[in-house]
Amino acid sequence: MRIVVSEFMSLDGVVQAPGGPEEDTDGGFAHGGWSHPFFDPEVVGGAFDEALGRAEALLFGRRTWQTMAAAWPERAGDPFADRMNAIPKHVVSRTLCDTALTWENTTLIAGDDAVARIGELREAPGGDLLVMGSPTLVRTLLAEGLVDELRLVVMPVLLGGGKRIFPEDGALRTLELVSTVTSGTGVNVCTYRPVAAGQVD
């Protein structure tokens, strides 16, 4: 399976709480819901529809999974929501237990075994394993070289601080820009894939 990361991101690299004011207030973050003014159904919505359409399973960190699990089951009847609810899901956590997995078709990946288990999923046959949100998990996946594609929905806003997905370990990682689409609201949907060492022109 390919591991594909899809993120709403500010121009200064913040991915925290794009969906609503109470989504994630860690660190005193006060700009929850910042993505809404820039959303458009065709480009931004289309990017997520396409990503979900290609996915065979979803992968989340605990906080993002809990946010999604609290929202999507109530939206049943909408095609996107029905797809979110039906598709297999994996959540990485050191604190959740199986009895807490109330969102249908969810499997727990123990935090201590996450890198090895996700590596096994990546080596298995199949389509895309899609990661949304989950900045701590994504940072680990990038650091471990387990991301096959980054789809960044970059919005023209500066948030001044918040959670980011990029490792800060001093390592050089080169990416290839595969495609970019710009919306009328100034959003750039940029798709990147890692370039193996020694393959840069």
Side-chain angles (χ1 to χ4, degrees), residues 37-182:
F38 310 104
F39 185 88
D40 78 287
E42 183 177 351
V43 175
V44 178
F48 275 86
D49 284 342
E50 181 185 358
L52 186 62
R54 291 181 177 177
E56 288 194 8
L58 305 178
L59 175 64
F60 297 105
R62 176 192 57 80
R63 183 190 288 272
T64 300
W65 180 87
Q66 288 178 318
T67 299
M68 298 280 199
W72 288 109
E74 297 178 359
R75 301 177 189 177
D78 170 82
F80 190 90
D82 288 347
R83 173 78 171 140
M84 288 287 289
N85 290 324
I87 195 170
K89 293 167 278 286
H90 303 275
V91 56
V92 175
S93 176
R94 289 185 171 87
T95 57
L96 290 176
C97 58
D98 286 328
T99 57
L101 304 182
T102 54
W103 195 11
E104 61 182 307
N105 300 320
T106 297
T107 301
L108 179 65
I109 297 176
D112 292 340
D113 300 326
V115 170
R117 179 68 185 116
I118 292 167
E120 291 171 1
L121 289 172
R122 185 171 178 245
E123 292 300 318
D128 291 351
L129 179 59
L130 178 63
V131 187
M132 294 181 282
S134 312
T136 302
L137 173 61
V138 171
R139 194 161 48 250
T140 298
L141 296 176
L142 286 168
E144 296 289 338
L146 292 174
V147 173
D148 297 291
E149 185 171 287
L150 270 175
R151 182 172 294 198
L152 304 180
V153 182
V154 182
M155 301 191 167
V157 61
L158 301 174
L159 298 175
K163 294 179 181 177
R164 294 173 167 85
I165 63 169
F166 301 117
E168 297 183 356
D169 55 7
L172 175 67
R173 297 175 176 89
T174 303
L175 304 173
E176 172 192 12
L177 178 62
V178 177
S179 67
T180 183
V181 181
T182 302

Side-chain angles (χ1 to χ4, degrees), residues 179-200:
S179 67
T180 183
V181 181
T182 302
S183 77
T185 58
V187 176
N188 285 320
V189 179
C190 302
T191 301
Y192 296 93
R193 291 178 188 148
V195 176
Q199 292 187 358
V200 180

